[in-house]
Amino acid sequence: MKRPLKHLHKRTTDKHDFFDALFDDLVVFILSKLSSTASSPSQFINILSTCKRLNRLGLHRMVLSKAGPKVFSIKAKNWSEHVHRFFKLCVNAGNLNACYTLGMIRFYCLKNRASGLSLMAKAAMKSHAQALYSLAVIQFNGSGGTKRDKDLRAGVALCARASLLGHIDALRELGHCLQDGYGVKQNVSEGRRLLVKANALELAFVIRAVTSASPSRSLSTSPLLTCRAVDYTVCPLLSDYGYNVTVPVVQPVNWFMREWFETGPGRVEMVAGLRLCAHIGCGRPETRAHEFRRCSVCGKVNYCSRGCQALDWKLRHKMECSPEEVVVQDNDGGADGGGVELGNDDVV
């Protein structure tokens, strides 16, 4: 007798996409975290290109407002109208990093001075330290205008505010201003104290970074902190304390400007006689002829600020500078101190 056939019931498995079941608010929250911690622009863009829903929610106001500074580390060769539009979306969302970065690009690269200043001022009013310092440099040099547009007191005030927010370059610049009596009543002892404080903050920052990266490793055995040596690839100010560390990471917008004017569309202006700040980590160009001051010894390099001069002196120029028979002087002098040349003063 034959065994009865089993009727195989067809299994119905409903494929369920758990991502579609997530609420939009939760997805926006997750994307906000991802945008704030993205290590590069491509990392964030790849998320947006995954699907239509992520693309739509990735452009949410909250997500764009939380985007970290590395999301805006675009290269000059990749600049396009689409990138510009993305920056404007972030600015409209209230992202301070986007305001500062786009402000710098518009002011120096696209020559839209008024719009660039407005964006940097918007970030500065929200206590963005880098924007405050950049506005100070513009005030010191009268960038975008004439020599008479310099406002040294405003530059000192902006540096003071940025230094209170922990901006080391602003603190260093303020120390030089006090030491030289540039835009403020001269106070050599207070200026030297601020320069020492800037060195101490730099040292504390690096030690904190080293210990957090390898807490079990002592400072004496760390490869990032070694004995002093003659090597200009190390951090300049920390050599004052007998330590050598790798050069600090340059801000993305500063690299963008250097690439723009060295190999990008802005190189035409450099050929026309305008100059870049010689400090590798700056990238600021002149907005008029003889805006920056030259080294008073060799006359071969130009700096937008005393802070950049001090950093580049210890980083590189100390080993390259040699006096010429005739000291080159810019014709950008005046009673306001704008023509005071930058000497190779050693920073404490």
Side-chain angles (χ1 to χ4, degrees), residues 53 74 112 114 116-117 131 146-147 194-195 212 227 292 327 332:
R53 189 186 183 198
I74 189 73
N112 192 341
L117 280 175
T146 65
K147 183 177 65 174
L194 293 182
L195 292 175
S212 62
C227 295
F292 295 164
V327 177
D332 194 17

Side-chain angles (χ1 to χ4, degrees), residues 4-10:
L5 294 175
K6 285 187 177 180
H7 298 285
L8 298 176
H9 297 283
K10 188 177 181 180

Side-chain angles (χ1 to χ4, degrees), residues 153-227:
R153 290 187 177 183
V156 171
L158 289 166
C159 275
R161 186 176 174 189
S163 65
L164 292 176
L165 297 172
H167 196 281
I168 298 175
D169 290 339
L171 181 63
R172 187 180 297 117
E173 189 73 25
L174 183 61
H176 281 289
C177 288
L178 285 168
Q179 186 175 251
D180 302 336
Y182 189 71
V184 68
K185 185 178 179 180
Q186 188 175 23
N187 190 334
V188 177
S189 59
E190 180 65 13
R192 302 289 284 184
R193 186 188 71 81
L194 293 182
L195 292 175
V196 171
K197 183 179 179 181
N199 287 356
L201 290 175
E202 189 105 41
L203 179 63
F205 175 79
V206 173
I207 292 177
R208 194 161 53 243
V210 171
T211 53
S212 62
S214 53
S216 60
R217 185 179 297 173
S218 64
L219 294 178
S220 60
T221 60
S222 175
L224 295 179
L225 291 175
T226 59
C227 295

Side-chain angles (χ1 to χ4, degrees), residues 137-159:
V137 174
I138 291 174
Q139 294 295 332
F140 282 136
N141 294 317
S143 300
T146 65
K147 183 177 65 174
R148 294 184 178 181
D149 293 322
K150 294 181 180 181
D151 192 340
L152 305 186
R153 290 187 177 183
V156 171
L158 289 166
C159 275

